[in-house]
Coordinates of all heavy atoms in Angstrom, one line a residue:
M1 N 86.9 122.7 111.2 CA 86.8 122.9 109.7 C 85.5 123.6 109.4 O 84.5 123.4 110.1 CB 86.9 121.6 109.0 CG 88.2 120.9 109.1 SD 88.3 119.5 107.9 CE 89.9 118.9 108.3
D2 N 85.5 124.3 108.3 CA 84.3 125.0 107.9 C 83.4 124.1 107.1 O 83.7 123.0 106.8 CB 84.6 126.3 107.2 CG 85.4 126.1 105.9 OD1 85.5 124.9 105.4 OD2 85.9 127.0 105.3
D3 N 82.2 124.6 106.8 CA 81.2 123.9 106.1 C 81.6 123.5 104.7 O 81.3 122.4 104.2 CB 79.9 124.7 106.0 CG 79.2 124.7 107.3 OD1 79.5 123.9 108.2 OD2 78.3 125.6 107.5
T4 N 82.4 124.4 104.0 CA 82.9 124.1 102.7 C 83.8 122.9 102.7 O 83.7 122.0 101.9 CB 83.6 125.3 102.1 OG1 82.7 126.4 102.1 CG2 84.1 125.0 100.7
T5 N 84.7 122.8 103.7 CA 85.7 121.7 103.8 C 84.9 120.4 104.0 O 85.2 119.4 103.4 CB 86.7 122.0 104.9 OG1 87.3 123.2 104.7 CG2 87.7 120.9 105.0
T6 N 83.9 120.5 104.9 CA 83.1 119.3 105.2 C 82.4 118.8 103.9 O 82.4 117.6 103.7 CB 82.1 119.6 106.3 OG1 82.9 120.0 107.5 CG2 81.3 118.3 106.7
E7 N 81.8 119.7 103.2 CA 81.1 119.3 102.0 C 82.1 118.7 100.9 O 81.7 117.7 100.3 CB 80.4 120.5 101.3 CG 79.1 120.9 102.0 CD 78.1 119.8 102.0 OE1 77.8 119.2 100.9 OE2 77.6 119.4 103.1
V8 N 83.3 119.3 100.8 CA 84.2 118.7 99.8 C 84.6 117.3 100.3 O 84.7 116.4 99.5 CB 85.5 119.7 99.7 CG1 86.6 119.0 99.0 CG2 85.1 121.0 99.1
L9 N 84.9 117.1 101.6 CA 85.2 115.8 102.1 C 84.1 114.8 101.8 O 84.4 113.7 101.4 CB 85.5 116.0 103.6 CG 85.9 114.7 104.4 CD1 87.3 114.3 103.8 CD2 86.0 115.0 105.9
K10 N 82.9 115.2 102.1 CA 81.7 114.3 101.8 C 81.6 113.9 100.3 O 81.3 112.8 100.0 CB 80.5 114.9 102.4 CG 80.4 114.8 103.9 CD 79.4 115.6 104.6 CE 78.0 115.6 104.0 NZ 77.1 116.4 104.8
W11 N 81.8 114.9 99.4 CA 81.7 114.6 98.0 C 82.9 113.8 97.6 O 82.7 112.9 96.7 CB 81.7 115.9 97.2 CG 80.3 116.5 97.1 CD1 79.8 117.6 97.8 CD2 79.2 116.0 96.4 NE1 78.5 117.8 97.5 CE2 78.1 116.8 96.7 CE3 79.0 114.9 95.6 CZ2 76.8 116.6 96.2 CZ3 77.7 114.6 95.1 CH2 76.7 115.5 95.3
L12 N 84.1 114.0 98.1 CA 85.2 113.1 97.8 C 84.9 111.7 98.3 O 85.1 110.7 97.5 CB 86.4 113.6 98.5 CG 87.7 112.7 98.4 CD1 88.2 112.7 97.0 CD2 88.8 113.3 99.3
A13 N 84.3 111.5 99.4 CA 83.9 110.2 99.9 C 82.9 109.5 99.0 O 83.0 108.3 98.7 CB 83.4 110.3 101.4
S14 N 81.9 110.3 98.6 CA 80.9 109.8 97.7 C 81.4 109.3 96.4 O 81.2 108.2 95.9 CB 79.8 110.8 97.6 OG 78.8 110.4 96.7
G15 N 82.2 110.2 95.8 CA 82.8 109.9 94.4 C 83.7 108.7 94.5 O 83.6 107.8 93.6
S16 N 84.6 108.7 95.5 CA 85.5 107.6 95.5 C 84.8 106.3 95.8 O 85.2 105.2 95.3 CB 86.6 107.8 96.6 OG 86.1 108.0 97.9
G17 N 83.7 106.3 96.6 CA 82.9 105.1 96.9 C 82.3 104.6 95.6 O 82.3 103.4 95.4
M18 N 81.8 105.5 94.8 CA 81.2 105.0 93.5 C 82.2 104.4 92.5 O 82.0 103.4 91.9 CB 80.5 106.2 92.8 CG 79.2 106.6 93.5 SD 78.2 107.8 92.7 CE 79.0 109.3 93.3
I19 N 83.4 105.0 92.5 CA 84.5 104.5 91.7 C 84.9 103.1 92.1 O 85.0 102.2 91.4 CB 85.7 105.5 91.6 CG1 85.3 106.7 90.8 CG2 86.9 104.8 91.0 CD1 86.3 107.9 91.0
A20 N 85.1 103.0 93.5 CA 85.4 101.7 94.0 C 84.4 100.6 93.8 O 84.7 99.5 93.4 CB 85.7 101.8 95.5
A21 N 83.1 101.0 93.9 CA 82.0 100.0 93.6 C 82.1 99.6 92.2 O 81.9 98.4 91.9 CB 80.7 100.7 94.0
A22 N 82.3 100.5 91.3 CA 82.4 100.1 89.9 C 83.6 99.1 89.6 O 83.4 98.1 88.9 CB 82.6 101.3 89.0
M23 N 84.7 99.4 90.3 CA 85.9 98.6 90.1 C 85.6 97.2 90.6 O 86.0 96.2 90.0 CB 87.1 99.2 90.8 CG 87.6 100.4 90.1 SD 88.9 101.3 91.1 CE 90.2 100.2 91.0
V24 N 85.0 97.1 91.8 CA 84.7 95.8 92.4 C 83.6 95.0 91.5 O 83.8 93.8 91.3 CB 84.3 95.9 93.8 CG1 83.8 94.6 94.4 CG2 85.5 96.4 94.7
S25 N 82.6 95.7 91.1 CA 81.5 95.1 90.4 C 81.9 94.6 89.0 O 81.3 93.6 88.5 CB 80.3 96.0 90.4 OG 80.5 97.1 89.5
L26 N 82.8 95.3 88.4 CA 83.2 94.8 87.1 C 84.0 93.5 87.1 O 84.0 92.8 86.0 CB 84.1 95.9 86.4 CG 83.3 97.2 86.0 CD1 84.3 98.3 85.5 CD2 82.3 96.9 84.9
D27 N 84.6 93.2 88.2 CA 85.3 91.9 88.3 C 86.3 91.6 87.2 O 86.2 90.6 86.5 CB 84.3 90.7 88.5 CG 84.9 89.4 88.9 OD1 86.0 89.5 89.5 OD2 84.4 88.4 88.7
L28 N 87.2 92.6 87.0 CA 88.1 92.5 85.9 C 89.5 91.9 86.3 O 90.5 92.2 85.7 CB 88.3 93.9 85.3 CG 87.1 94.5 84.6 CD1 87.4 95.9 84.1 CD2 86.7 93.6 83.4
G29 N 89.4 91.2 87.4 CA 90.6 90.5 87.9 C 90.9 90.9 89.4 O 90.4 91.9 89.9
R30 N 91.7 90.0 90.0 CA 92.0 90.2 91.4 C 92.6 91.5 91.7 O 92.3 92.1 92.7 CB 92.8 89.0 91.9 CG 92.1 87.7 91.9 CD 93.0 86.6 92.4 NE 93.3 86.8 93.8 CZ 92.5 86.6 94.9 NH1 91.3 86.1 94.6 NH2 92.9 86.8 96.1
R31 N 93.6 91.9 90.9 CA 94.4 93.1 91.2 C 93.5 94.3 91.2 O 93.5 95.2 92.1 CB 95.5 93.2 90.2 CG 96.5 94.3 90.6 CD 97.7 94.2 89.7 NE 98.8 94.9 90.2 CZ 99.7 94.6 91.2 NH1 99.5 93.4 91.7 NH2 100.6 95.3 91.5
L32 N 92.7 94.5 90.1 CA 91.8 95.7 90.0 C 90.8 95.6 91.1 O 90.5 96.7 91.7 CB 91.1 95.7 88.7 CG 90.3 97.0 88.4 CD1 91.2 98.2 88.4 CD2 89.5 96.8 87.1
T33 N 90.2 94.5 91.4 CA 89.2 94.4 92.5 C 89.9 94.7 93.8 O 89.3 95.5 94.6 CB 88.6 92.9 92.6 OG1 88.0 92.7 91.3 CG2 87.7 92.8 93.7
G34 N 91.1 94.3 94.1 CA 91.8 94.6 95.3 C 92.0 96.1 95.4 O 91.9 96.7 96.5
W35 N 92.4 96.8 94.3 CA 92.6 98.2 94.4 C 91.3 98.9 94.6 O 91.2 100.0 95.2 CB 93.4 98.7 93.1 CG 94.8 98.4 93.3 CD1 95.6 97.5 92.7 CD2 95.7 99.1 94.2 NE1 96.8 97.5 93.2 CE2 97.0 98.5 94.1 CE3 95.6 100.2 95.1 CZ2 98.1 98.9 94.8 CZ3 96.7 100.6 95.8 CH2 97.9 100.0 95.7
G36 N 90.2 98.3 94.1 CA 88.9 98.9 94.4 C 88.6 98.9 95.9 O 88.1 99.9 96.5
F37 N 89.0 97.8 96.6 CA 88.9 97.8 98.1 C 89.8 98.8 98.7 O 89.4 99.4 99.8 CB 89.2 96.4 98.6 CG 88.0 95.4 98.4 CD1 88.0 94.4 97.6 CD2 86.8 95.6 99.2 CE1 87.0 93.5 97.4 CE2 85.8 94.8 99.0 CZ 85.8 93.7 98.2
V38 N 91.0 99.1 98.2 CA 91.8 100.1 98.7 C 91.1 101.5 98.6 O 91.1 102.3 99.6 CB 93.2 100.2 98.0 CG1 94.0 101.4 98.4 CG2 94.0 98.9 98.3
I39 N 90.5 101.8 97.5 CA 89.8 103.0 97.3 C 88.6 103.1 98.3 O 88.3 104.1 98.9 CB 89.3 103.2 95.9 CG1 90.6 103.4 95.0 CG2 88.4 104.4 95.7 CD1 90.3 103.4 93.5
F40 N 87.9 101.9 98.5 CA 86.8 101.8 99.5 C 87.4 102.2 100.9 O 86.6 102.9 101.6 CB 86.2 100.4 99.5 CG 85.0 100.2 98.7 CD1 84.9 99.0 98.0 CD2 84.0 101.2 98.6 CE1 83.8 98.8 97.2 CE2 82.9 100.9 97.8 CZ 82.8 99.8 97.1
L41 N 88.6 101.8 101.2 CA 89.2 102.2 102.5 C 89.3 103.7 102.6 O 88.9 104.2 103.7 CB 90.5 101.5 102.7 CG 90.6 100.1 103.0 CD1 92.1 99.6 103.0 CD2 90.0 99.7 104.3
G42 N 89.7 104.3 101.6 CA 89.8 105.8 101.6 C 88.5 106.4 101.7 O 88.3 107.4 102.4
S43 N 87.5 105.9 101.0 CA 86.2 106.4 101.1 C 85.6 106.3 102.5 O 85.0 107.2 103.0 CB 85.3 105.7 100.0 OG 83.9 106.1 100.1
S44 N 85.8 105.1 103.1 CA 85.3 104.9 104.5 C 86.0 105.9 105.4 O 85.3 106.5 106.3 CB 85.6 103.5 104.9 OG 84.8 102.6 104.2
L45 N 87.3 106.1 105.3 CA 87.9 107.1 106.1 C 87.4 108.5 105.9 O 87.2 109.3 106.9 CB 89.5 107.1 105.9 CG 90.2 105.9 106.4 CD1 91.7 105.9 105.9 CD2 90.1 105.8 107.9
A46 N 87.1 108.9 104.7 CA 86.6 110.2 104.4 C 85.2 110.3 105.0 O 84.8 111.4 105.6 CB 86.5 110.5 102.9
W47 N 84.4 109.3 104.9 CA 83.0 109.3 105.5 C 83.1 109.4 107.0 O 82.3 110.1 107.7 CB 82.2 108.1 105.1 CG 81.5 108.2 103.8 CD1 81.7 107.4 102.7 CD2 80.6 109.2 103.4 NE1 80.9 107.9 101.7 CE2 80.2 109.0 102.1 CE3 80.0 110.3 104.1 CZ2 79.3 109.8 101.4 CZ3 79.1 111.1 103.4 CH2 78.8 110.9 102.0
I48 N 84.1 108.7 107.6 CA 84.2 108.7 109.1 C 84.6 110.1 109.5 O 84.1 110.7 110.5 CB 85.3 107.7 109.6 CG1 84.7 106.3 109.4 CG2 85.7 107.9 111.0 CD1 85.8 105.2 109.5
A49 N 85.5 110.8 108.8 CA 85.9 112.1 109.1 C 84.7 113.1 109.0 O 84.5 113.9 109.8 CB 87.1 112.6 108.2
G50 N 84.0 112.9 107.9 CA 82.8 113.7 107.7 C 81.8 113.5 108.8 O 81.1 114.5 109.3
A51 N 81.6 112.3 109.2 CA 80.7 112.0 110.3 C 81.1 112.6 111.6 O 80.3 113.1 112.4 CB 80.6 110.5 110.5
V52 N 82.4 112.6 111.9 CA 83.0 113.2 113.1 C 82.7 114.8 113.1 O 82.2 115.4 114.0 CB 84.5 112.9 113.3 CG1 85.1 113.8 114.4 CG2 84.7 111.5 113.6
L53 N 83.0 115.3 111.9 CA 82.8 116.8 111.8 C 81.3 117.2 111.9 O 81.1 118.4 112.3 CB 83.4 117.3 110.4 CG 84.9 117.2 110.3 CD1 85.3 117.5 108.9 CD2 85.6 118.1 111.3
T54 N 80.4 116.4 111.5 CA 79.0 116.7 111.5 C 78.3 116.1 112.7 O 77.1 116.4 112.9 CB 78.3 116.3 110.2 OG1 78.4 114.9 110.1 CG2 78.9 117.0 109.0
G55 N 79.0 115.3 113.5 CA 78.3 114.7 114.7 C 77.3 113.6 114.3 O 76.4 113.4 115.0
D56 N 77.6 113.0 113.2 CA 76.6 111.9 112.7 C 77.2 110.5 113.1 O 77.9 109.9 112.4 CB 76.5 112.0 111.2 CG 75.4 111.1 110.6 OD1 75.0 110.2 111.3 OD2 74.9 111.4 109.5
A57 N 76.8 110.1 114.3 CA 77.3 108.8 114.9 C 76.9 107.6 114.0 O 77.7 106.7 113.9 CB 76.8 108.7 116.3
A58 N 75.7 107.6 113.5 CA 75.3 106.5 112.7 C 76.1 106.3 111.4 O 76.5 105.2 111.1 CB 73.8 106.6 112.3
L59 N 76.4 107.4 110.7 CA 77.2 107.4 109.5 C 78.7 106.9 109.9 O 79.3 106.1 109.2 CB 77.3 108.7 108.8 CG 78.1 108.8 107.6 CD1 77.5 107.9 106.5 CD2 78.1 110.3 107.1
G60 N 79.2 107.4 111.0 CA 80.5 107.0 111.4 C 80.6 105.6 111.8 O 81.6 104.9 111.4
T61 N 79.6 105.1 112.5 CA 79.6 103.7 112.9 C 79.5 102.8 111.7 O 80.2 101.8 111.6 CB 78.4 103.4 113.8 OG1 78.5 104.3 115.0 CG2 78.3 102.0 114.3
Q62 N 78.6 103.1 110.7 CA 78.5 102.3 109.5 C 79.8 102.2 108.8 O 80.2 101.2 108.4 CB 77.4 102.9 108.6 CG 77.3 102.2 107.3 CD 76.5 103.0 106.3 OE1 76.0 104.1 106.5 NE2 76.2 102.4 105.1
N63 N 80.5 103.3 108.6 CA 81.7 103.3 107.9 C 82.9 102.7 108.6 O 83.8 102.3 108.0 CB 82.0 104.7 107.3 CG 81.2 105.0 106.1 OD1 81.6 104.5 105.0 ND2 80.0 105.6 106.2
A64 N 82.8 102.7 109.9 CA 83.8 102.0 110.7 C 83.7 100.5 110.4 O 84.7 99.8 110.2 CB 83.7 102.3 112.2
G65 N 82.4 100.0 110.4 CA 82.2 98.6 110.0 C 82.6 98.3 108.6 O 83.3 97.3 108.3
L66 N 82.3 99.2 107.6 CA 82.7 99.0 106.3 C 84.2 99.1 106.1 O 84.8 98.4 105.2 CB 82.0 100.1 105.4 CG 80.5 100.0 105.2 CD1 80.0 101.2 104.5 CD2 80.2 98.7 104.5
F67 N 84.9 99.9 106.9 CA 86.3 99.9 106.9 C 86.9 98.6 107.2 O 87.8 98.1 106.4 CB 86.9 101.0 107.8 CG 88.4 101.2 107.8 CD1 88.9 102.0 106.9 CD2 89.2 100.5 108.7 CE1 90.3 102.2 106.8 CE2 90.6 100.6 108.6 CZ 91.1 101.5 107.7
V68 N 86.4 97.9 108.2 CA 86.9 96.6 108.5 C 86.6 95.6 107.4 O 87.5 94.8 107.0 CB 86.3 96.1 109.9 CG1 86.6 94.6 110.1 CG2 86.7 97.0 111.0
I69 N 85.4 95.6 106.8 CA 85.0 94.8 105.7 C 86.0 95.0 104.5 O 86.4 94.1 103.9 CB 83.6 95.0 105.3 CG1 82.7 94.5 106.4 CG2 83.2 94.3 104.0 CD1 81.2 94.9 106.3
N70 N 86.3 96.2 104.3 CA 87.2 96.6 103.1 C 88.6 96.1 103.4 O 89.3 95.7 102.5 CB 87.1 98.1 102.8 CG 85.7 98.5 102.3 OD1 85.1 97.7 101.6 ND2 85.3 99.6 102.7
L71 N 89.0 96.2 104.7 CA 90.3 95.6 105.0 C 90.4 94.1 104.7 O 91.4 93.6 104.1 CB 90.6 95.8 106.5 CG 91.2 97.1 107.0 CD1 91.3 97.1 108.5 CD2 92.5 97.4 106.3
I72 N 89.3 93.4 104.9 CA 89.3 92.0 104.6 C 89.4 91.8 103.1 O 90.1 91.0 102.6 CB 88.0 91.4 105.1 CG1 88.0 91.3 106.6 CG2 87.8 89.9 104.5 CD1 86.7 91.0 107.3
G73 N 88.7 92.7 102.3 CA 88.8 92.7 100.8 C 90.2 92.9 100.3 O 90.7 92.2 99.4
V74 N 90.9 93.9 100.9 CA 92.3 94.1 100.6 C 93.1 92.9 100.8 O 94.0 92.5 100.0 CB 92.9 95.4 101.3 CG1 94.4 95.5 101.1 CG2 92.2 96.6 100.8
Y75 N 93.0 92.3 102.0 CA 93.7 91.1 102.3 C 93.5 90.0 101.3 O 94.4 89.4 100.8 CB 93.4 90.6 103.8 CG 94.0 89.3 104.0 CD1 95.3 89.1 104.3 CD2 93.2 88.1 104.0 CE1 95.9 87.9 104.5 CE2 93.7 86.9 104.2 CZ 95.1 86.8 104.5 OH 95.6 85.5 104.7
R76 N 92.2 89.7 101.1 CA 91.8 88.6 100.2 C 92.3 88.8 98.7 O 92.7 87.9 98.1 CB 90.3 88.4 100.2 CG 89.7 87.8 101.4 CD 88.2 87.6 101.3 NE 87.9 87.0 100.1 CZ 87.6 85.7 100.0 NH1 87.6 84.9 101.1 NH2 87.2 85.1 98.9
Y77 N 92.2 90.0 98.2 CA 92.5 90.3 96.8 C 93.9 90.7 96.5 O 94.4 90.6 95.4 CB 91.5 91.2 96.2 CG 90.2 90.6 96.0 CD1 89.2 90.6 97.0 CD2 89.9 89.9 94.8 CE1 88.0 90.0 96.8 CE2 88.7 89.3 94.6 CZ 87.7 89.3 95.6 OH 86.5 88.7 95.4
L78 N 94.6 91.4 97.5 CA 95.9 91.9 97.2 C 97.1 91.2 98.1 O 98.2 91.1 97.6 CB 96.0 93.4 97.5 CG 95.2 94.3 96.5 CD1 95.4 95.7 96.9 CD2 95.7 94.1 95.1
L79 N 96.8 90.8 99.3 CA 97.8 90.3 100.1 C 97.9 88.8 100.2 O 99.0 88.2 100.4 CB 97.6 90.9 101.6 CG 97.6 92.4 101.6 CD1 97.4 92.9 103.0 CD2 98.9 93.0 101.1
R80 N 96.8 88.1 100.2 CA 96.8 86.7 100.3 C 97.2 86.0 99.0 O 96.9 86.6 97.9 CB 95.3 86.2 100.7 CG 95.1 84.7 100.8 CD 93.7 84.4 101.2 NE 92.8 84.5 100.1 CZ 91.6 84.0 100.0 NH1 91.1 83.4 101.1 NH2 90.9 84.1 99.0
A81 N 97.8 84.9 99.1 CA 98.2 84.1 97.9 C 96.9 83.8 97.2 O 95.9 83.5 97.7 CB 99.0 82.9 98.3
K82 N 97.0 83.8 95.8 CA 95.9 83.4 95.0 C 95.4 82.0 95.3 O 96.2 81.1 95.3 CB 96.3 83.6 93.5 CG 95.1 83.4 92.6 CD 95.5 83.6 91.1 CE 94.4 83.3 90.2 NZ 94.8 83.5 88.8
P83 N 94.1 81.8 95.5 CA 93.6 80.4 95.8 C 93.8 79.5 94.6 O 93.7 80.0 93.4 CB 92.1 80.6 96.2 CG 91.8 82.0 95.8 CD 93.1 82.8 95.6
V84 N 93.9 78.3 94.8 CA 94.1 77.3 93.8 C 92.8 77.1 93.0 O 91.7 77.0 93.5 CB 94.6 75.9 94.3 CG1 94.8 74.9 93.2 CG2 95.9 76.2 95.1

């Protein structure tokens, strides 16, 4: 991929991460928070792709870890039965 594609990918990752963070931080209910974690998953994948394209192992490793954490968030807020 060329530099322009990589830049677009990184800006997409950045923007979606900020949107997801706002959704989670507003705490407007389990469903919205859960969808925030879904967007975080997409952001992590975009960052991992950007890290692979630029050879940035630290960024890729960080976002692989965040991807797992966000999977837990999706499970807790969207898939698991609501706690009593």
Side-chain angles (χ1 to χ4, degrees):
M1 288 191 184
D2 63 10
D3 289 341
T4 303
T5 304
T6 303
E7 282 299 307
V8 169
L9 183 64
K10 288 168 40 178
W11 278 108
L12 175 66
S14 180
S16 62
M18 287 185 276
I19 290 167
M23 291 171 71
V24 170
S25 70
L26 288 171
D27 193 21
L28 295 175
R30 293 183 62 77
R31 190 170 195 82
L32 185 66
T33 298
W35 281 105
F37 280 111
V38 170
I39 295 172
F40 266 139
L41 286 174
S43 177
S44 292
L45 287 175
W47 277 122
I48 291 167
V52 168
L53 292 172
T54 60
D56 191 338
L59 182 63
T61 302
Q62 174 190 8
N63 278 281
L66 290 172
F67 184 85
V68 173
I69 292 166
N70 294 325
L71 277 176
I72 294 167
V74 169
Y75 170 75
R76 287 181 50 101
Y77 286 90
L78 290 179
L79 302 177
R80 179 176 78 161
K82 185 177 178 181
V84 180

